[in-house]
Amino acid sequence: MALVEHNKELTCIPLSFEDRTGHLPNLLGDLICRLLLPPVTDAKDSAAAHEHGDLRCKQGYTAAMLVEESRMLQVSIFNTLQKNLFRVDFSKVLHDVITIADEVDSQLKQAMVSYVHTVDSGGGKENLRRAI
């Protein structure tokens, strides 16, 4: 949350703590489930990611803001790993980092699909104009 609080692009949309972070438990839950699957498992469809893209569009985010928010999530996750290296199983960490990056990117793609659908259905045309 600290990264977001210092980002003028994202904080120009006034949201409560809950509105800004309420999606994280479900997205992180999907990420944890993916980490528990066999290593070659592809990303699954995430209802949480789709809902997040739709919500952010309705809240006034631009597409670029949604991408920035996802980037900050990855940075936060990797910083947490860095701070907890003494607890990390080094025989698995590289694969897990790859899986984390793939899952977060997959969730971003799914959020963007819903975001664009919301824009196309008239739920946020001003966002598309602002993003261009």
Side-chain angles (χ1 to χ4, degrees):
M1 189 61 187
L3 290 174
V4 173
E5 290 173 351
H6 292 95
N7 184 295
K8 290 180 183 178
E9 180 183 15
L10 296 182
T11 56
C12 75
I13 304 287
L15 296 175
S16 69
F17 180 83
E18 176 60 30
D19 287 340
R20 203 168 296 280
T21 62
H23 66 288
L24 289 174
N26 292 330
L27 292 179
L28 292 173
D30 288 346
L31 173 59
I32 291 165
C33 287
R34 173 87 184 275
L35 287 167
L36 295 173
L37 293 173
V40 294
T41 305
D42 290 334
K44 304 288 185 213
D45 195 48
S46 169
H50 285 284
E51 291 170 12
H52 181 63
D54 176 61
L55 177 64
R56 285 297 192 246
C57 183
K58 291 175 180 173
Q59 289 172 327
Y61 268 48
T62 64
M65 292 166 76
L66 196 58
V67 171
E68 179 67 3
E69 183 180 63
S70 179
R71 185 191 69 76
M72 290 179 167
L73 174 60
Q74 283 194 55
V75 168
S76 295
I77 291 169
F78 296 141
N79 281 336
T80 300
L81 283 174
Q82 178 69 32
K83 290 175 185 173
N84 291 281
L85 278 179
F86 63 94
R87 295 181 179 165
V88 171
D89 179 350
F90 284 96
S91 68
K92 297 180 181 180
V93 72
L94 184 57
H95 183 270
D96 287 348
V97 166
I98 292 167
T99 301
I100 290 166
D102 185 59
E103 180 64 24
V104 173
D105 287 348
S106 174
Q107 290 180 7
L108 173 60
K109 176 186 175 186
Q110 293 172 66
M112 290 304 301
V113 166
S114 292
Y115 179 96
V116 169
H117 181 265
T118 301
V119 168
D120 288 348
S121 65
K125 289 192 186 289
E126 67 283 351
N127 296 347
L128 185 60
R129 282 192 293 267
R130 284 189 2 217
I132 296 176

